[in-house]
């Protein structure tokens, strides 16, 4: 017998806070994750990057077309700023679908009628 499963492409996405405040990262993660009533298709947790002395909001986006990285970034940034903390950086882990990058690019530059040529 064989079992085959399929799921949408998972985007592993981390946002590093310009602060070692793990309590803030955990609170942001709790607020934005879907299981707590936050953003749909977002799994999130707060963790500490000891080597950098930075707290991180580590996330899996299970459907980037519903909740793309740029939407998650804006939500984390707003929550962090409410606590007086800036974003230090963000990182994608592994592969990311081209469509996710195009969505963010179009949103950032506010193009009219933007569409991919692929």
């Amino acid at each position: 017998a064989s079992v085959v499963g399929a799921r949408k492409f998972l985007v592993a996405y981390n946002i590093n806070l310009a602060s070692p405040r793990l309590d803030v990262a955990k609170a942001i993660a709790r607020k934005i994750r879907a299981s707590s009533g936050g953003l749909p298709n977002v799994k999130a947790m707060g963790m500490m990057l000891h080597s950098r002395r930075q707290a991180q909001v580590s996330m899996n986006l299970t459907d980037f077309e519903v909740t793309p990285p740029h939407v998650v970034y804006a939500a984390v940034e707003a929550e962090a700023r409410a606590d007086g903390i800036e974003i230090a950086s963000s990182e994608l882990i592994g592969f990311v679908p081209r469509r996710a990058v195009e969505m963010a690019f179009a949103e950032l530059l506010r193009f009219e009628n933007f569409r991919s040529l692929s």
Side-chain angles (χ1 to χ4, degrees):
S2 294
V3 177
V4 177
R7 63 169 169 78
K8 293 211 173 222
F9 197 94
L10 180 132
V11 175
Y13 184 46
N14 300 326
I15 297 179
N16 302 321
L17 305 180
S19 169
R21 299 256 332 256
L22 180 57
D23 61 317
V24 173
K26 286 183 175 185
I28 292 170
R30 189 171 27 263
K31 187 154 189 177
I32 67 164
R33 68 176 160 243
S35 66
S36 297
L39 299 170
N41 303 296
V42 174
K43 297 178 180 184
M45 64 184 217
M47 56 191 303
M48 187 65 189
L49 302 176
H50 294 286
S51 64
R52 295 183 182 186
R53 292 195 32 83
Q54 290 179 323
Q56 179 184 81
V57 181
S58 179
M59 297 161 287
N60 285 331
L61 312 182
T62 58
D63 189 343
F64 75 89
E65 292 177 308
V66 173
T67 309
H70 68 275
V71 170
V72 175
Y73 184 95
V76 171
E77 182 177 45
E79 292 298 323
R81 282 194 173 158
D83 280 306
I85 296 173
E86 297 295 319
I87 302 294
S89 62
S90 70
E91 59 187 353
L92 293 164
I93 308 300
F95 294 104
V96 62
R98 180 178 173 173
R99 178 74 184 122
V101 174
E102 290 170 344
M103 290 168 70
F105 182 72
E107 177 66 22
L108 176 67
L109 298 179
R110 307 269 195 245
F111 284 128
E112 291 184 25
N113 304 315
F114 177 80
R115 66 180 179 81
S116 172
L117 296 178
S118 60

